[in-house]
Amino acid sequence: MKSLKIILSVFLMVLLFVSCDEDESQELNLVESAQVQVAVGSSTFYDLTNVSTTTVDLDINVTGLPVSSVTILKSYNGGVNVVEHATLSTVPASVSIPLIEAIDGLGITADDLNLGDNVTFSFRANLANGTTATSQKIYVANLSCPSNLPEGLWTGVNTDAATFGGSSTNASVMITALGAGAYSVSDVSGAAYFTCCGGGGFVVDQPVTILDVCNTISVTGSAGSQVTIADDLANPGSWDPGSGILTINWCDNSNGFCSTTTFTKN
């Protein structure tokens, strides 16, 4: 019996030694690699209102093992068609990538670009020891438009004589940015309701919220208005930064008509 206990003890010690030896071997066999670090610069998205000139700026660095270069890869909307964009022989580096160059080789033309699409950039570290490492870091450059409606007081003019019996003006329309291209407008009617029908209880301000998407304006809500005002789906409004004219086409769903008010910044 004692001999059996001794044999079992020796057997367990051997198993324990082998187990520890295997753990140590696995730890020693871990290979350090390189990781690409990506930070966005001053230009963070592609502006669809300036397709020919818009860029995305990236700052690229590498940590870990020494690298000989970093290859920038790209795809459209994260698709399976991933191609090489450029190889940087020196890092850290700051790169500015024009949209026209970003879509080159992806089977995309400028006419195919749509709001909400993106160019996805990924990165491959080419190590000095001859191996490569695909980075876990990516950068998704969205195709969007900046919204630059000036905040403050505007003058709204409504000339819808067929509906309101004449023209009207409100020189104290307040437009306030809500973020992500949304704005509040203190009076969408240009005082038309008050000018027409103030004796019937209508006040000057009929507020709405609007959304500016690539200079196309839509009405998204009318909380606080005396009537239910909505978007004119068949006739979207517009913002012309060149002329400074904001046009809001809107519909009074409470009374079944649509109208137009134009605004200029005071």
Side-chain angles (χ1 to χ4, degrees), residues 54-167:
T54 184
T55 65
V56 160
D57 302 331
L58 302 176
D59 297 322
I60 299 172
N61 203 355
V62 178
T63 59
L65 291 179
V67 300
S68 58
S69 62
V70 170
T71 299
I72 303 174
L73 306 139
K74 60 190 180 184
S75 63
Y76 198 70
N77 288 335
V80 296
N81 181 26
V82 179
V83 302
E84 294 186 4
H85 174 74
T87 296
L88 307 174
S89 57
T90 302
V91 287
S94 296
V95 295
S96 183
I97 306 176
L99 176 56
I100 295 301
E101 294 181 10
I103 62 175
D104 185 38
L106 294 175
I108 301 294
T109 68
D111 293 334
D112 299 319
L113 302 175
N114 293 301
L115 182 70
D117 288 354
N118 66 73
V119 179
T120 300
F121 294 105
S122 54
F123 308 89
R124 184 178 65 228
N126 305 307
L127 279 67
N129 62 14
T131 63
T132 61
T134 300
S135 175
Q136 297 177 352
K137 303 289 185 180
I138 64 170
Y139 185 76
V140 179
N142 292 311
L143 275 60
S144 187
C145 301
S147 182
N148 59 356
L149 277 175
E151 293 186 86
L153 289 176
W154 294 60
T155 295
V157 177
N158 188 292
T159 59
D160 187 358
T163 302
F164 295 107
S167 62

